[in-house]
Amino acid sequence: AAEGKAAAEGKAAEGREEEEEDDFGYRLFPDRSKKPQSFLVRSLFTFHNRCQLMLRMTLDTNPYAQLLLEAMKQSGCTVFNDRHFSCENCDGCVSGGFDSATSQIVLCQNNIRHQSHMNRVVTHELIHAFDHCRAHVDWFNNVKHLACSEIRAANLSGDCTLMNEIARFKFGLKGHHQACVRDRAIRSILAVRKVSKEMAEKAVDEVFDACFNDLEPFGRIPHSKTDAKRAYRDFQNRDRYNANL
């Protein structure tokens, strides 16, 4: 009986270990594991229609997204709307994610409510996609790789513009941008990985300077849409110059 009890306790412990195993953030995107719905069924849901319309607007008009799409094309990773973007219902705490296993950007149709939010989410996730395209990023096993891409995404996507920080009731001025980038990178890691806050902070701090100063493909920190337009124009001119060499 004692042996039977020990075996049962052992199986229970194994079950708990399996439950606690890191799912790499997939719990936040429950629609990832569901069978895709038919177009007719999806068309009945206004969230999905609104998501698709806002996505199209972002891809057609937003200079952040346009620059990243062109940079990815130049790197041999052309992005296609139907293939690489998916509007889905997500956990209440997230707006989007990059699924490196499928090279798909997930847009949380139940949480993205306005166009400016869609612009930032698409830009943020396209930076992850760009990093995935140009570098051998070990998203699942190397937290420093994840930290670097989260730093770059927070730095270059417009997440930390002064107006966005004021909207979050954060009014610091000195070192404001760097502090925002660090904070948002740590929060993103904690949202998708089962690691301690101390481990996330350590990973971000160890790679912060190098990754904060990696401004590709923008060449600058785009603090506004005007900055992003200039960066996009400079990127196009850089391509023309390189083509003439």
Side-chain angles (χ1 to χ4, degrees), residues 99-116:
D99 185 353
S100 60
T102 60
S103 296
Q104 260 192 338
I105 289 172
V106 182
L107 301 170
C108 298
Q109 61 193 20
N110 55 320
N111 294 331
I112 301 175
R113 303 298 171 82
H114 49 82
Q115 189 63 50
S116 60

Side-chain angles (χ1 to χ4, degrees), residues 4-229:
K5 182 180 179 183
E9 289 176 347
K11 288 181 180 179
E14 288 177 6
R16 285 194 298 272
E17 288 178 3
E18 287 179 5
E19 288 178 6
E20 293 173 1
E21 186 177 350
D22 197 341
D23 66 358
F24 303 114
Y26 280 95
R27 67 191 177 282
L28 303 175
F29 308 98
D31 282 3
R32 293 273 83 192
S33 59
K34 293 180 182 177
K35 186 177 179 181
Q37 295 173 318
S38 70
F39 175 79
L40 181 60
V41 172
R42 283 186 287 118
S43 68
L44 297 176
F45 293 92
T46 56
F47 275 170
H48 190 82
N49 289 341
R50 184 178 64 185
C51 177
Q52 289 286 349
L53 290 171
M54 288 195 294
L55 170 61
R56 174 48 59 195
M57 179 68 72
T58 297
L59 298 181
D60 288 346
T61 66
N62 184 262
Y64 290 87
Q66 289 175 323
L67 191 157
L68 285 159
L69 291 172
E70 191 157 329
M72 290 189 67
K73 185 176 181 180
Q74 292 288 333
S75 300
C77 299
T78 301
V79 175
F80 297 99
N81 185 358
D82 293 339
R83 163 64 181 87
H84 295 107
F85 293 95
S86 180
C87 289
E88 302 176 7
N89 290 320
C90 308
D91 181 84
C93 70
V94 294
S95 300
F98 175 64
D99 185 353
S100 60
T102 60
S103 296
Q104 260 192 338
I105 289 172
V106 182
L107 301 170
C108 298
Q109 61 193 20
N110 55 320
N111 294 331
I112 301 175
R113 303 298 171 82
H114 49 82
Q115 189 63 50
S116 60
H117 190 189
M118 175 65 80
N119 292 343
R120 292 198 307 275
V121 173
V122 169
T123 301
H124 185 109
E125 302 307 335
L126 276 174
I127 291 169
H128 291 322
F130 176 77
D131 288 346
H132 185 68
C133 173
R134 70 168 182 155
H136 298 293
V137 182
D138 188 350
W139 299 100
F140 299 117
N141 301 308
N142 192 324
V143 70
K144 288 184 183 180
H145 286 194
L146 175 63
C148 187
S149 193
E150 291 295 355
I151 290 166
R152 281 177 31 78
N155 189 27
L156 300 173
S157 66
D159 285 348
C160 288
T161 61
L162 184 59
M163 292 307 297
N164 283 334
E165 282 293 88
I166 289 174
R168 300 178 188 119
F169 300 101
K170 296 183 179 180
F171 303 99
L173 293 176
K174 188 174 181 181
H176 141 82
H177 184 75
Q178 289 89 334
C180 171
V181 169
R182 180 180 182 274
D183 177 61
R184 293 187 70 80
I186 292 168
R187 287 174 55 194
S188 293
I189 293 170
L190 292 175
V192 299
R193 293 291 181 275
K194 291 182 179 179
V195 298
S196 67
K197 185 176 181 182
E198 291 74 19
M199 183 180 292
E201 289 174 340
K202 184 173 184 289
V204 168
D205 289 340
E206 286 182 356
V207 301
F208 189 86
D209 288 343
C211 299
F212 183 84
N213 291 309
D214 180 1
L215 305 179
E216 284 300 312
F218 289 89
R220 69 180 79 194
I221 298 174
H223 291 291
S224 65
K225 189 175 284 189
T226 300
D227 283 346
K229 287 179 179 177

